[in-house]
Coordinates of all heavy atoms in Angstrom, one line a residue:
I7 N -8.2 -6.6 -0.3 CA -8.2 -7.0 -1.7 C -8.0 -8.5 -1.9 O -8.6 -9.1 -2.8 CB -7.0 -6.2 -2.4 CG1 -7.1 -4.7 -2.3 CG2 -6.8 -6.7 -3.8 CD1 -8.3 -4.2 -3.0
L8 N -7.2 -9.1 -1.0 CA -7.0 -10.6 -1.1 C -6.6 -11.1 0.2 O -6.2 -10.4 1.1 CB -6.0 -10.9 -2.2 CG -4.5 -10.4 -2.0 CD1 -3.7 -11.5 -1.3 CD2 -3.9 -10.0 -3.3
T9 N -6.7 -12.5 0.3 CA -6.3 -13.2 1.5 C -5.5 -14.4 1.0 O -5.8 -15.0 -0.1 CB -7.4 -13.7 2.4 OG1 -8.3 -14.6 1.6 CG2 -8.3 -12.6 2.9
D10 N -4.5 -14.8 1.7 CA -3.7 -16.0 1.4 C -3.1 -16.6 2.7 O -2.4 -15.9 3.5 CB -2.5 -15.6 0.5 CG -1.7 -16.7 0.0 OD1 -2.1 -17.9 0.2 OD2 -0.6 -16.5 -0.6
K11 N -3.4 -17.8 2.9 CA -2.9 -18.6 4.1 C -3.2 -17.8 5.4 O -2.3 -17.7 6.3 CB -1.5 -18.9 4.0 CG -1.2 -19.8 2.8 CD 0.3 -20.1 2.7 CE 0.6 -20.9 1.4 NZ 2.0 -21.1 1.1
G12 N -4.3 -17.1 5.5 CA -4.7 -16.4 6.7 C -4.3 -14.9 6.7 O -4.8 -14.1 7.4
S13 N -3.3 -14.6 5.9 CA -2.9 -13.2 5.8 C -3.9 -12.4 4.9 O -4.4 -12.9 3.9 CB -1.5 -13.0 5.1 OG -0.5 -13.4 6.0
K14 N -4.2 -11.2 5.3 CA -5.1 -10.3 4.6 C -4.3 -9.1 4.1 O -3.5 -8.5 4.9 CB -6.3 -9.9 5.5 CG -7.1 -11.1 5.9 CD -8.2 -10.6 6.9 CE -9.0 -11.8 7.4 NZ -10.0 -11.4 8.3
Y15 N -4.7 -8.6 2.9 CA -4.0 -7.5 2.3 C -5.1 -6.4 2.0 O -6.1 -6.8 1.4 CB -3.3 -7.8 1.0 CG -2.0 -8.5 1.3 CD1 -2.0 -9.9 1.5 CD2 -0.8 -7.9 1.2 CE1 -0.8 -10.6 1.7 CE2 0.4 -8.5 1.4 CZ 0.4 -9.9 1.7 OH 1.6 -10.5 1.9
A16 N -4.8 -5.2 2.3 CA -5.7 -4.1 2.0 C -4.9 -3.0 1.3 O -3.6 -3.0 1.5 CB -6.4 -3.5 3.2
V17 N -5.5 -2.1 0.6 CA -4.8 -1.0 0.0 C -5.5 0.3 0.2 O -6.8 0.3 0.2 CB -4.5 -1.2 -1.5 CG1 -5.8 -1.3 -2.3 CG2 -3.5 -0.2 -2.1
S18 N -4.8 1.4 0.4 CA -5.3 2.7 0.7 C -4.4 3.7 0.0 O -3.3 3.4 -0.4 CB -5.4 3.0 2.2 OG -6.0 2.0 2.9
G19 N -4.9 4.9 -0.2 CA -4.0 6.0 -0.7 C -4.6 7.3 -0.5 O -5.7 7.5 -0.1
A20 N -3.7 8.3 -0.8 CA -4.1 9.7 -0.6 C -3.1 10.6 -1.4 O -2.0 10.2 -1.7 CB -3.9 10.1 0.9
A21 N -3.6 11.7 -1.8 CA -2.8 12.7 -2.5 C -1.9 13.4 -1.4 O -2.4 13.8 -0.3 CB -3.6 13.7 -3.2
V22 N -0.6 13.5 -1.7 CA 0.3 14.2 -0.7 C 1.3 15.1 -1.5 O 1.6 14.8 -2.7 CB 1.1 13.2 0.1 CG1 0.2 12.4 1.0 CG2 2.0 12.3 -0.7
A23 N 1.7 16.1 -0.9 CA 2.7 17.0 -1.5 C 4.1 17.0 -0.9 O 5.0 17.4 -1.6 CB 2.1 18.5 -1.4
D24 N 4.2 16.4 0.3 CA 5.5 16.4 1.0 C 5.5 15.3 2.0 O 4.5 14.6 2.2 CB 5.8 17.8 1.5 CG 4.7 18.3 2.5 OD1 3.9 17.5 3.0 OD2 4.7 19.5 2.6
R25 N 6.7 15.2 2.7 CA 6.8 14.2 3.8 C 5.8 14.4 4.9 O 5.3 13.4 5.5 CB 8.3 14.2 4.3 CG 8.5 13.2 5.4 CD 8.2 11.8 4.9 NE 8.0 10.8 6.0 CZ 8.7 9.8 6.2 NH1 9.7 9.4 5.4 NH2 8.4 8.9 7.2
A26 N 5.5 15.6 5.2 CA 4.5 15.9 6.3 C 3.2 15.4 5.9 O 2.4 14.8 6.7 CB 4.4 17.4 6.5
G27 N 2.8 15.4 4.6 CA 1.6 14.9 4.1 C 1.6 13.4 4.2 O 0.5 12.8 4.5
V28 N 2.7 12.7 3.9 CA 2.8 11.3 4.1 C 2.6 10.9 5.5 O 1.8 10.0 5.8 CB 4.2 10.8 3.6 CG1 4.4 9.3 4.0 CG2 4.4 11.0 2.2
D29 N 3.2 11.6 6.4 CA 3.1 11.3 7.9 C 1.7 11.5 8.3 O 1.1 10.7 9.1 CB 4.1 12.1 8.7 CG 5.5 11.8 8.5 OD1 5.8 10.7 8.0 OD2 6.4 12.6 8.7
A30 N 1.0 12.6 7.9 CA -0.4 12.8 8.2 C -1.3 11.7 7.7 O -2.2 11.3 8.4 CB -0.8 14.2 7.7
A31 N -1.1 11.3 6.5 CA -1.9 10.2 5.9 C -1.8 8.9 6.7 O -2.8 8.2 6.9 CB -1.6 10.1 4.4
L32 N -0.5 8.6 7.0 CA -0.3 7.3 7.8 C -0.9 7.4 9.1 O -1.6 6.5 9.6 CB 1.2 7.1 7.9 CG 1.9 6.6 6.6 CD1 3.4 6.7 6.8 CD2 1.5 5.2 6.2
K33 N -0.8 8.6 9.8 CA -1.4 8.8 11.1 C -3.0 8.7 11.0 O -3.6 8.0 11.8 CB -1.0 10.2 11.6 CG -1.5 10.4 13.0 CD -1.0 11.7 13.6 CE -1.5 12.0 15.0 NZ -1.0 13.3 15.5
S34 N -3.5 9.2 9.9 CA -5.0 9.2 9.7 C -5.4 7.7 9.5 O -6.4 7.3 10.1 CB -5.4 10.0 8.5 OG -6.7 9.9 8.2
L35 N -4.7 7.0 8.7 CA -5.1 5.6 8.5 C -5.0 4.8 9.8 O -5.9 4.0 10.1 CB -4.1 5.0 7.4 CG -4.4 3.5 7.1 CD1 -5.7 3.4 6.3 CD2 -3.2 2.9 6.3
K36 N -4.0 5.0 10.6 CA -3.8 4.2 11.8 C -4.7 4.7 12.9 O -4.7 4.0 14.0 CB -2.3 4.3 12.2 CG -1.4 3.6 11.3 CD 0.0 3.7 11.7 CE 1.0 3.1 10.7 NZ 2.4 3.2 11.1

Side-chain angles (χ1 to χ4, degrees):
I7 299 296
L8 64 93
T9 60
D10 184 8
K11 297 178 184 173
S13 286
K14 296 178 184 176
Y15 285 82
V17 65
S18 310
V22 298
D24 53 24
R25 179 58 200 240
V28 171
D29 294 340
L32 289 167
K33 185 176 180 179
S34 173
L35 181 69
K36 291 177 184 179

